[in-house]
Amino acid sequence: MNVLVIGAGGREYSIGMALKKDENVDKLYFAPGNGATDELGENLTISDFNELADFCEANGVDLTIVGPEAPLVDGIVDVFDNRGLTIFGPTASAAQLEGSKIFMKNFLARHNVPTAKYIETDSIEEAYKFINTLEAPIVVKADGLCGGKGVIIAQSHDEAKKAAGEMLSGNSFGDAGTSIVVEEFLDGYELSVFAICDGEDYVVLPAAQDHKRLLNNDEGPNTGGMGAYAPTPLVNDEIYRKLDERVIVPTLKGMKEEGNPFKGVLFIGVMVVNGEPIILEYNVRFGDPECEELMPLLKSPASELFYKAATGDLKSAEIEFYDKYAVGVVMASRDYPYKSSEPAEIIVDDIVHDDLESNAHISFAGVSRGDDGKLYATGGRVLVCVGMGDSIAEAQQRAYMLVGQVHFAGKQCRTDIAYQAL
Ligand code: AMP
Ligand code: GLY
């Protein structure tokens, strides 16, 4: 089959790698792709949803997989559905689970899915009143999409009130913050759990753990994610069972009952507090960099997983994963996450080590191909070095060996990815 992947990051590159090694896949396209996806397939410069659908019709694209949230929230799936094209991802209406924190929190409450105590409001008085009932730290969130920056963990009541005031006046996040969620702080450890859903049935992928802070020991500012690993030993059968019973099943049932059957990736941000999984948030796409570790763990053909999910046929799929671990280390540019950096040429040393050659690889993200044909670091998160192994320690060692082979001016990375598991 011919497959189109929408997006430009390391996440989409890793989906592309999984499709590339899949015998069922003939032609592979990316829109827009990045400076390295052109080695896996063909990059398209089309962004309009109807024009993308035209392309798929004209070129016999059998399946489109959407990576990022923005086109989902903007309705790419609705356009493709209307034209009878097969696409993997939720409709705009179902994508509100990520697009609106208020929609998500109210949905969780309606269906008794465990989540932090909260209110949603557009009134500063109400926000203040609720803040007074909580103990610090207190969490204040803008309603809309803010590229992962709309969450403030306030260390005092005053700080929480200030954050709420700034969001509601439109000063901090514009329209995305004209309604807010204020919620209690959950103290535990965080997991990223992904369920591939076809509207009714689902497949849960090995649980991952992301590292959101820029610096070792989870210090420094929040980022899109500086590295991840999977499967994490911080989850056990009991937690998986609770996630099935209390979270995934009621969510898929609730979405269907409310006329929004959920097809796509349900990304469950979980905080485990005293052994109980509590939902922090939903996203409607793969995490980045979690996807870069999960795709190489997938043993079944990627096209089978995504095509069957997109066509409501997951029940007939037998999805298998390798009994291995993957660790991914993000290499970022000098000024990430504050500002963009000058383009820098990327040099990857020849890998002469057989062991590394077959157990580690790069997923390229913020890279562009120069007119000279060379690869340049042009984004914040430039690439992810992924190591595979029979243990987390082995996978981690291979990932960092690969990091040592990659050079570009200003490169930075954490040196402790997967530390919580070791
Ligand atoms: P979100 O965009 O809702 O995932 O929030 C971003 C990050 O803020 C999460 O990954 C958590 O690390 C943190 N966070 C969000 N809500 C809470 C909460 N109620 N308690 C503790 N940490 C939170
Ligand atoms: N790695 C977290 C995210 O993609 O939101």
Side-chain angles (χ1 to χ4, degrees), residues 9-12 210 224-225 285-292 381 384:
R11 169 178 52 205
E12 290 75 24
D210 186 16
R285 46 151 180 104
F286 275 113
D288 192 345
E290 292 95 322
C291 189
E292 287 92 318
R381 291 187 293 169
V384 186

Side-chain angles (χ1 to χ4, degrees), residues 101 139 141 151 183-186 190 212 280-281:
K101 293 208 189 294
V139 185
K141 302 183 176 184
V151 176
E183 69 180 28
E184 69 177 325
F185 179 79
L186 298 173
E190 226 172 312
K212 291 212 165 83
L280 281 176
E281 62 159 356

Side-chain angles (χ1 to χ4, degrees), residues 6 48 51 55 59 70 102 107 129 165 167 170 173 201 218 222 259 287 307 319 348 351 363 388 392:
I6 307 283
D48 178 81
E51 285 174 29
F55 178 89
N59 294 276
I102 292 175
F107 177 88
K129 220 158 96 193
M167 281 185 198
F173 299 109
D201 294 302
D218 296 323
N222 254 324
Y307 189 81
I319 301 302
V348 181
I351 295 169
S363 225
M388 310 288 295
I392 293 177

Side-chain angles (χ1 to χ4, degrees), residues 108 111-116 242 246-247 277-280:
L108 295 179
H111 297 281
N112 290 316
V113 177
T115 188
K242 287 177 179 167
R246 299 181 190 169
V247 182
I278 318 270
I279 304 319
L280 281 176

